Amino acid sequence: MEILKQKIVEQGVVVSDQVLKLDAILNHQIDPELTMEMGREFARRFEAEGITRIVTVESSGIPVAFATAVHMGVPLVFARRKKTLLADPDAYCERVPSFTKGIVTDIMVSREFIDPKDRILFIDDIIANGDAAKGIIKIVERSGASLAGFGVVVEKCFQSGASAIREQGIRVESLVKIESLKDGFVKFA
């Protein structure tokens, strides 16, 4: 997506050769028009897959996953990172490290929102090491639903996450692939 590449160049901040800060368009402030366009593109790429539900992880994945769900006409479920007093005590739960937060959290999805008959599309904002994605994959497998694919806004090709998911035979569609962040510059693949 050329418009996404342009926004990344204009508004992204290279923090290090491993970290790209996209707060202005994706992770803190949301560009509504761009977000809806990204959702439209994911819906187009996965339109033949019989998707019945979109799944993401809170919170940065929610806007793009929501836009995708709107364009596909299916519900969106997001994995929570924090237990609440109202949380389903029998939820599917996986412990996952967060690359950008530098912590380990539990992600959980209530059993009432994923059915074995579902055909799931997982949408997320960025894939680095792929730990959150691996957690969602385990949750989907345990639920008995099928995972049709994984749509990610930004794939950091210099980290192993997306390739590890592909090695599992899972279709991964990236809107933008970044080859390098060396010397403070974004180099697209």
Side-chain angles (χ1 to χ4, degrees), residues 44-60:
R44 184 190 67 74
R45 291 185 188 192
F46 288 96
E47 68 187 341
E49 293 295 331
I51 305 300
T52 61
R53 198 170 304 269
I54 306 291
V55 173
T56 193
V57 179
E58 72 175 356
S59 64
S60 297

Side-chain angles (χ1 to χ4, degrees), residues 157-169:
C157 298
F158 54 90
Q159 290 175 297
S160 63
S163 61
I165 303 302
R166 287 184 180 102
E167 287 171 8
Q168 294 181 46

